[in-house]
Amino acid sequence: MAYPDALISAVGTKVYRSQRGQWREDTNWSATLDEAWDVDVVRDAGYQALAAVGKDSLHFRPKEELNEHKVIWDVCGGNSEGRASLG
């Protein structure tokens, strides 16, 4: 079986490359993701949405599932009332 050159994880926000039999995070990929990325702006948008629809409709995923380039939340239920425009 072929040995992979890279592992892509965390919905593409983490890339690891094999270097002498050790997996190391690809810092070039992380630097590319950093370009024009502001995690605080994304988190603030999530908090605005949470304030608009309430914690029963939206919640952030556990911290263990997040990283500096991955901020995710779950939308709960099928109620479309309280949708907010985030600008």
Side-chain angles (χ1 to χ4, degrees):
M1 186 164 159
Y3 191 79
D5 295 324
L7 297 174
I8 301 170
S9 64
V11 294
T13 63
K14 295 285 184 184
V15 173
Y16 298 89
R17 298 204 182 268
S18 179
Q19 297 175 350
R20 292 179 231 137
Q22 298 289 322
W23 291 106
R24 302 204 189 284
E25 187 172 352
D26 184 336
T27 55
N28 290 330
W29 179 247
S30 296
T32 298
L33 292 178
D34 282 338
E35 294 175 16
W37 173 253
D38 188 337
V39 71
D40 292 328
V41 170
V42 176
R43 286 186 183 131
D44 287 346
Y47 288 124
Q48 288 177 32
L50 179 62
V53 300
K55 66 181 180 177
D56 292 333
S57 297
L58 180 97
H59 66 273
F60 282 94
R61 298 293 301 158
K63 288 183 181 190
E64 303 83 44
E65 296 180 25
L66 309 178
N67 66 50
E68 63 274 9
H69 298 114
K70 181 180 158 196
V71 180
I72 54 176
W73 46 88
D74 287 332
V75 177
C76 307
N79 184 356
S80 63
E81 290 183 39
R83 284 188 180 162
S85 174
L86 303 175

